[in-house]
Amino acid sequence: MWSEVTLPLWLVIIAALLAALAFLDRLLIPSVRWALRRRANKAISELNTRLRLQIKPFKLTKRQVLMDRLIYDPEVLHTIDEYARDNKMPREVVMEKVKKYAGEIVPSFSAYAYFRIGTRIAKRISESLYRVRIGIRNEDSFAKVDPDSSVVFVINHRSNMDYVLVTYVAATSSALSYAVGEWAQIWGLRNLIRSMGAYFIRRDSRDALYRKVLSRYVHMATASGVVQAIFPEGGLSRDGKLRPPKFGLLSYMVAAFDPKGPKDVVFVPVGVNYDRVLEDRMLTSAANTEPGKKPVFGFNLFTFLKHFLNAIWLAFRGRWYRLGYTCVSFGEPFSLKKYVVEQKIDFRDLPEDTRHAEIEKLGLKLMDAVGRVVPALPVSLVSTALLDASPAALSLFEIKARVARLIDELESNGAYVHIPRADRDYAIEVGLRMLRLRHLVLEDDGSFRVNPNDVHVVRYYANAIAHLLPDASAAGEFSPLPVQEKEKTLVEVVQPAT
């Protein structure tokens, strides 16, 4: 019993390593995880006391648990059976596709990544590039929103910078969950974006199975009170105008809404504008793409390095300016529960065609509210004044007179005009300087005119506020129709001709 056993040294080393791993796995690692999770939960509890809209338990649920809930959702399982039968595929194969879609869509939110890393990076980038301002705050109305409601920020889409800017501006309110496209599926960036609560979507997918999985995730998140941010336009504006909204995500959010349920869905219109959009030339070039041909947006490393190194050189010489002002305005919160009561509808009970029409009607109403809070900034004001006179040149005095009339007109229509330092002359100088530095406007003997080669870029900035002017409809700008005409048009769209 007490006889000695001789073992090779290598076997003793392997046994010792395995014993150490077992000790770590069974004793130390669970203890460390418990301690870290306890600290994380305490930090989140403290964070929720400072946020207007608390981080909901759904957002903090383990990713694998959310994936399992999504995969085994009754509606998803029903769709799996139908898909397998219609496409004559084994159910196990279809189930694997669903698991792949769920793994692609479901985020893995980390409060630390969002508030310690994400928002700090967003702040640094935003303030390095722009003079960030908040226009209309609507704090009194926002304070009346039930904190248990599912809040959805509805935002116009000017630039990919929108994600960064709105994350920074809304950091004191809550953690936003975005739907991001394929552009974010980049190695290294993908995990960071997912840890910040964003979920990936295939914008052009026609796969019914994929759409069902996505719709159920959006419904689950909305029903659980996750604060979300959506861009109804579905893509960046290529000419500066507000684009007609798309209704996919909105449909997923409201189609199963229960008007008598405990949770309301509150939409908050958000208007964003910039004195300079980083992608403006690329977007305006894409606007001239042949009809029916999808533009290709490529990343050119040499072009990027050229502009980056030039900015460093200008900064070193003290001649680099930030890209002007950017401004974010918040509109009046919009209660879905109140809306369906007023309209006497329940999306769940409507026939499919009628439901689509009602969702489009709601979407147009939300997009109209977003358009009304888009701020007017110096570059847009000066661009509008110069284009009205183009190709003629204007003196500085004439520009100031035209911009002053434009500001009065916008303010009389209820639009928010950001005037830096409350000085109109300074605002005009800022706008004119930005356009001159980029050679979009040429100066000759004290007169200013639009560069003939860049009229489309100047018009891009003027179009940002075109819908706020009284003649916007006559000029062909996006503007929701009167209710009766709108209802007629939507019925014609969704019902086949007879």
Side-chain angles (χ1 to χ4, degrees), residues 40-53:
N41 290 337
K42 184 178 179 181
I44 290 170
S45 298
E46 293 177 355
L47 186 62
N48 276 336
T49 61
R50 301 197 302 268
L51 296 175
R52 291 183 180 179
L53 302 170

Side-chain angles (χ1 to χ4, degrees), residues 287-477:
N288 297 323
T289 304
E290 296 179 11
K293 184 177 180 181
K294 187 176 181 179
V296 178
F297 300 108
F299 175 75
N300 189 310
L301 178 62
F302 295 103
T303 301
F304 171 78
L305 290 176
K306 175 185 174 182
H307 288 289
F308 181 73
L309 294 175
N310 183 56
I312 293 177
W313 174 241
L314 291 174
F316 181 76
R317 297 164 60 194
R319 296 182 58 188
W320 187 82
Y321 297 94
R322 281 185 286 182
L323 308 180
Y325 288 87
T326 181
C327 188
V328 181
S329 285
F330 296 87
E332 190 77 17
F334 181 92
S335 167
L336 181 60
K337 185 173 288 189
K338 181 179 178 182
Y339 174 79
V340 295
V341 169
E342 291 175 349
Q343 298 294 315
K344 299 179 181 179
I345 58 173
D346 186 335
F347 291 110
R348 301 171 301 171
D349 299 334
L350 297 175
E352 185 175 358
D353 289 348
T354 307
R355 183 171 66 251
H356 288 168
E358 289 293 342
I359 290 173
E360 290 189 21
K361 180 180 174 182
L362 172 63
L364 290 172
K365 187 177 183 68
L366 291 173
M367 198 64 204
D368 178 51
V370 171
R372 287 198 298 270
V373 294
V374 171
L377 296 184
V379 167
S380 293
L381 296 170
V382 175
S383 297
T384 302
L386 288 169
L387 281 174
D388 284 344
S390 185
L394 295 176
S395 67
L396 182 58
F397 178 79
E398 290 172 323
I399 293 174
K400 289 182 177 181
R402 285 173 176 261
V403 172
R405 288 198 298 270
L406 181 60
I407 291 173
D408 292 337
E409 191 173 17
L410 288 168
E411 290 181 338
S412 67
N413 290 334
Y416 174 80
V417 181
H418 179 67
I419 303 175
R421 303 180 185 177
D423 185 338
R424 290 190 177 187
D425 287 347
Y426 176 73
I428 295 167
E429 290 172 9
V430 168
L432 192 57
R433 181 180 67 191
M434 287 295 302
L435 294 169
R436 287 176 58 209
L437 285 172
R438 301 186 62 199
H439 307 292
L440 300 177
V441 169
L442 305 176
E443 180 183 5
D444 185 21
D445 293 331
S447 295
F448 303 88
R449 60 185 176 88
V450 177
N451 187 336
N453 297 324
D454 291 314
V455 173
H456 59 293
V457 182
V458 178
R459 193 174 302 281
Y460 171 87
Y461 287 99
N463 283 342
I465 60 172
H467 65 280
L468 298 172
L469 300 173
D471 58 347
S473 298
E477 308 296 337

Side-chain angles (χ1 to χ4, degrees), residues 71-72 76-77 79-85 87-101 209:
I71 294 168
Y72 295 102
V76 172
L77 291 175
T79 304
I80 288 173
D81 292 335
E82 289 187 340
Y83 190 92
R85 183 176 61 253
N87 293 274
K88 298 179 180 179
M89 295 174 63
R91 191 177 186 279
E92 292 75 15
V93 175
V94 181
M95 179 65 79
E96 287 301 316
K97 290 186 68 173
V98 169
K99 289 180 180 178
K100 177 184 176 182
Y101 293 153
L209 185 63

